[in-house]
Amino acid sequence: MKSRYQKAIDKLNNAKNDMKFRYRTEQDLIRMKKEKELGNITYEEYYDLQWFYWETWLDPITVTTPHGSIILN
């Protein structure tokens, strides 16, 4: 049986393919932006999730091939 830690690591490693997780993260990001604007959370708290979202789903993933670079997402 996998440990909780290993399950969490697996979830993060497979996040790019988990559209339910992406949608939940987008909703959390929208909610946190509103909370930040109301002053209930700090910019750093919002930025942590924003950075995770950007790095996981928006930042272009490139692979270099003998024929040039290919963007995967």
Side-chain angles (χ1 to χ4, degrees):
M1 185 172 177
K2 288 186 176 182
S3 69
R4 283 188 194 177
Y5 176 77
Q6 187 59 49
K7 286 180 184 178
I9 295 299
D10 291 347
K11 185 173 183 89
L12 291 175
N13 287 338
N14 295 317
K16 291 184 187 324
N17 302 320
D18 189 344
M19 290 299 104
K20 287 182 182 178
F21 184 39
R22 179 179 180 167
Y23 179 74
R24 284 193 314 269
T25 305
E26 286 174 352
Q27 297 306 306
D28 286 342
L29 198 54
I30 292 167
R31 181 185 52 77
M32 286 184 75
K33 184 174 184 179
K34 291 176 185 173
E35 291 291 318
K36 180 180 71 71
E37 290 169 355
L38 293 172
N40 296 334
I41 62 171
T42 65
Y43 176 77
E44 289 77 18
E45 291 171 307
Y46 171 73
Y47 180 76
D48 284 344
L49 185 60
Q50 184 184 38
W51 178 86
F52 172 75
Y53 183 75
W54 171 263
E55 288 292 320
T56 305
W57 290 291
L58 301 181
D59 192 27
I61 301 169
T62 58
V63 175
T64 303
T65 68
H67 305 289
S69 294
I70 299 171
I71 296 177
L72 297 179
N73 61 346

